[in-house]
């Protein structure tokens, strides 16, 4: 049954185009999204009060959908804070320092550890966890501070964050916007994440070695991570003994490995997997706080939790209005404004996709290139997360026109958005790694540009064959 395309559909499409335009010019899209929700409400209900209420209700809808993601990241950051301030992070990472004997080993070991840790702790906290121990070792064996920043950046903010297989914050956003299960996005993203990661890191390493041999890149002194988030030593606020640090340093990886095993054995995905990781991180944070701070353990536990929640709200505050708008492209429209869409409609995005298929010769190549472009554009705000709902929505639109490939297109848009905006190309998103290493974030961005662009091109080509 063919659905009529109404003014409502065209207005929704117009606001999508405007949002992309605002992102290209690096302007905030919050007001535009709010206006878009209001205008859609007016057109669908012809009621001023319902339209105004719809804006607020759309925010509530988005917050409900995102609450699990916000909480898991907040709890992870809370745990990372207590690990850093009690020195447990040093005990966790220091055994690997003995294997770093050459610049090549430094690049790949630091990168590999950053990736693994970022899967569980998120990249920004992982930078602080690793910097205190591994940066001085890398500098001592001849890897420039810029090389350390690039390694941490590409493996953490690139590979780990774009896949986000454990915490599942990114695939949750894109899957919801595309109207598919989180597991489908994760499964489709695995080969693309691998291709993007291998191409980008190998290219970056080859360019770094070339410049080191030619003398363009030399060792530079980096900042200590203690300047960013100093660990608390014995005799100060924390009284955790060295043996206690070692015990927790062993116990924490064991617990998270057990979580991963449970995910596979019990087939946990999406919210269930997130809840398992979040609950584990919360209990770890509480146990360390009580062990380290003794009589002040109760108060310090609350302090760490508040710090984490503040971080989560700061990160996802700009995401909520954008997500609220793009959720309207699917079933959220009926929940917020009622059954006002034409008979036979499958949602604004699906309707537009079907119409697009009849009007324009859309194929797999056009779809893949468009999703990579849209994802990269949404990353220009330096967040990586704020616009990936758009990527999911566009993936749904194009897959409806192509007739298949929604999961692959969604994963491709997610990867492009996070590699560009999550902390590898946008200078202000590179600040954590750059500050730890004492290098200019703009220099890190320039160093990452060619590898990331080459990686996106190759990954897009692979995606075309996977569609």
């Amino acid at each position: 049954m063919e659905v009529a395309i109404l003014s409502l559909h065209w207005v929704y499409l117009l606001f999508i185009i405007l949002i992309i335009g605002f992102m290209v010019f690096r302007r905030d899209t919050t007001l535009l999204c709010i206006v878009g929700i209001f205008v859609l409400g007016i057109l669908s209900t012809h009621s001023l009060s319902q339209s105004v209420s719809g804006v607020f209700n759309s925010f509530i809808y988005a917050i409900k959908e995102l609450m699990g993601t916000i909480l898991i990241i907040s709890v992870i950051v809370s745990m990372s804070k207590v690990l850093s301030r009690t020195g447990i992070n040093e005990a966790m990472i220091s055994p690997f320092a003995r294997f770093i004997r050459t610049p090549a080993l430094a690049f790949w070991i630091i990168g590999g550890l950053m990736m693994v840790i970022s899967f569980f702790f998120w990249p920004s906290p992982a930078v602080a966890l690793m910097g205190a121990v591994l940066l001085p070792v890398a500098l001592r064996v001849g890897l420039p501070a810029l090389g350390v920043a690039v390694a941490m950046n590409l493996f953490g903010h690139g590979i780990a964050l774009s896949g986000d297989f454990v915490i599942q914050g990114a695939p949750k956003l894109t899957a919801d916007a595309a109207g598919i299960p989180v597991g489908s996005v994760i499964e489709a993203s695995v080969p693309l994440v691998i291709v993007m990661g291998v191409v980008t890191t190998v290219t970056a390493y080859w360019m770094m070695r070339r410049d080191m041999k030619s003398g363009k890149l030399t060792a530079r002194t980096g900042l200590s991570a203690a300047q960013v988030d100093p660990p608390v030593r014995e005799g100060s606020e924390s009284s955790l003994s060295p043996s206690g640090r070692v015990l927790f340093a062993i116990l924490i990886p064991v617990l998270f490995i057990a979580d991963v095993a449970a995910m596979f054995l019990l087939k946990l995905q999406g919210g269930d997997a997130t809840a398992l990781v979040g609950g584990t991180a919360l209990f770890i944070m509480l146990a360390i706080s009580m062990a380290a701070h003794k009589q002040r353990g109760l108060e310090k536990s609350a302090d760490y939790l508040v710090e984490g929640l503040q971080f989560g709200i700061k990160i996802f505050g700009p995401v909520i209005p954008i997500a609220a708008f793009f959720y309207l492209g699917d079933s959220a429209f009926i929940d917020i404004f009622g059954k006002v869409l034409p008979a036979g409609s499958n949602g604004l995005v699906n309707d537009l996709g079907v119409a697009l298929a009849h009007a324009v010769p859309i194929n797999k190549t056009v779809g893949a290139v468009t999703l990579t472009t849209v994802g990269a554009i949404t990353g220009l705000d330096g967040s990586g997360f704020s616009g990936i709902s758009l990527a999911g929505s566009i993936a749904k639109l194009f897959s409806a026109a192509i007739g298949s490939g929604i999961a692959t297109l969604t994963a491709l848009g997610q990867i492009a958005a996070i590699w560009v905006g999550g902390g590898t190309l946008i200078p202000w998103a590179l600040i954590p790694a750059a500050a730890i290493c004492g290098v200019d974030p703009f220099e890190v961005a320039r160093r990452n540009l060619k590898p990331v662009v080459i990686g996106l091109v190759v990954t897009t080509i692979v995606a075309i064959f996977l569609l």
Side-chain angles (χ1 to χ4, degrees):
M1 178 178 177
E2 190 171 334
V3 179
I5 300 298
L6 309 177
S7 58
L8 196 64
H9 295 83
W10 292 115
V11 169
Y12 185 77
L13 181 60
L14 173 63
F15 272 96
I16 289 178
I17 295 170
L18 288 174
I19 289 170
I20 293 174
F22 271 49
M23 288 179 172
V24 168
F25 290 100
R26 299 179 182 177
R27 301 304 301 264
D28 189 84
T29 60
T30 300
L31 177 60
L32 184 61
C33 290
I34 293 172
V35 171
I37 296 168
F38 176 76
V39 171
L40 291 172
I42 286 288
L43 289 174
S44 59
T45 65
H46 307 289
S47 167
L48 180 62
S49 62
Q50 280 186 268
S51 302
V52 173
S53 300
V55 173
F56 186 76
N57 287 332
S58 68
F59 275 42
I60 294 175
Y61 186 97
I63 291 171
K64 286 180 180 178
E65 292 295 317
L66 297 174
M67 184 54 69
T69 304
I70 295 172
L71 281 177
I72 179 63
I73 290 173
S74 299
V75 170
I76 291 292
V77 171
S78 299
M79 181 184 64
S80 299
K81 292 289 184 181
V82 72
L83 292 180
S84 179
R85 292 173 186 171
T86 54
I88 294 173
N89 62 316
E90 295 185 35
M92 290 175 65
I93 299 168
S94 57
F96 297 96
R98 70 186 68 177
F99 298 106
I100 299 177
R101 300 180 182 277
T102 66
L105 287 172
F107 182 89
W108 294 108
I109 289 175
I110 288 175
L113 285 173
M114 181 70 185
M115 180 181 68
V116 172
I117 294 172
S118 296
F119 277 133
F120 296 94
F121 295 98
W122 236 44
S124 295
V127 169
L129 287 174
M130 291 184 58
V133 179
L134 297 186
L135 175 62
V137 178
L139 294 174
R140 191 161 55 245
V141 299
L143 181 66
L146 185 60
V148 179
V150 168
M152 290 196 295
N153 206 232
L154 295 181
F155 281 89
H157 289 85
I159 298 173
L161 190 60
S162 66
D164 200 7
F165 300 131
V166 178
I167 298 175
Q168 300 182 3
K172 165 68 174 173
L173 287 170
T174 50
D176 283 353
I180 58 177
V182 175
S184 298
V185 176
I186 293 174
E187 184 179 349
S189 70
V190 170
L192 300 180
V193 169
I194 292 173
V195 170
M196 183 70 186
V198 170
V199 172
T200 305
T201 55
V202 170
T203 303
Y205 175 73
W206 177 82
M207 292 176 61
M208 183 192 70
R209 293 294 296 175
R210 179 198 62 188
D211 291 344
M212 288 176 66
K213 289 179 180 178
S214 67
K216 290 182 180 179
L217 187 61
T218 58
R220 298 169 63 180
T221 303
L223 294 176
S224 166
Q227 293 174 272
V228 179
D229 199 359
V232 179
R233 305 289 184 179
E234 294 135 304
S236 59
E237 191 177 5
S238 168
S239 58
L240 192 61
S241 65
S243 59
R245 292 174 188 166
V246 172
L247 175 62
F248 278 113
I250 296 172
L251 181 62
I252 291 168
V254 169
L255 290 174
F256 280 120
I257 290 171
D259 281 352
V260 174
M263 290 179 198
F264 282 104
L265 292 174
L266 303 176
K267 293 181 171 54
L268 301 179
Q269 289 184 334
D272 292 334
T274 298
L276 180 62
V277 173
T280 301
L282 184 60
F283 279 113
I284 289 172
M285 185 272 288
L286 293 173
I288 296 173
S289 296
M290 296 303 296
H293 299 288
K294 306 302 181 188
Q295 290 84 359
R296 300 197 64 241
L298 296 175
E299 291 75 15
K300 294 301 293 184
S301 299
D303 290 343
Y304 288 128
L305 189 57
V306 168
E307 281 190 74
L309 289 169
Q310 288 174 334
F311 180 88
I313 294 299
K314 182 179 179 181
I315 292 294
F316 280 89
V319 176
I320 291 170
I322 299 173
F325 175 81
F326 287 107
Y327 281 144
L328 292 180
D330 199 15
S331 59
F333 200 99
I334 295 174
D335 291 348
I336 294 167
F337 293 118
K339 297 181 179 180
V340 294
L341 295 177
S345 172
N346 291 311
L348 296 176
V349 172
N350 268 336
D351 295 347
L352 286 169
V354 173
L356 187 65
H358 288 93
V360 182
I362 299 297
N363 55 43
K364 295 178 180 180
T365 301
V366 173
V369 172
T370 300
L371 259 297
T372 299
T373 304
V374 168
I377 289 172
T378 64
L380 292 175
D381 66 346
S383 164
F385 274 69
S386 64
I388 57 176
S389 292
L390 172 61
S393 188
I394 297 293
K396 185 173 184 178
L397 178 69
F398 274 75
S399 65
I402 296 171
S404 64
I406 185 171
T408 299
L409 288 173
T410 301
L412 181 61
Q414 171 183 306
I415 289 167
I418 292 179
W419 270 90
V420 171
T424 67
L425 289 187
I426 304 303
W428 52 91
L430 290 160
I431 290 174
I436 288 289
C437 298
V439 296
D440 183 358
F442 287 90
E443 184 62 30
V444 181
R446 282 191 290 269
R447 174 66 51 174
N448 288 345
L449 181 59
K450 284 185 181 179
V452 172
V453 170
I454 293 171
L456 286 174
V457 171
V458 175
T459 305
T460 303
I461 293 171
V462 171
I464 292 170
F465 287 98
L466 293 175
L467 287 173

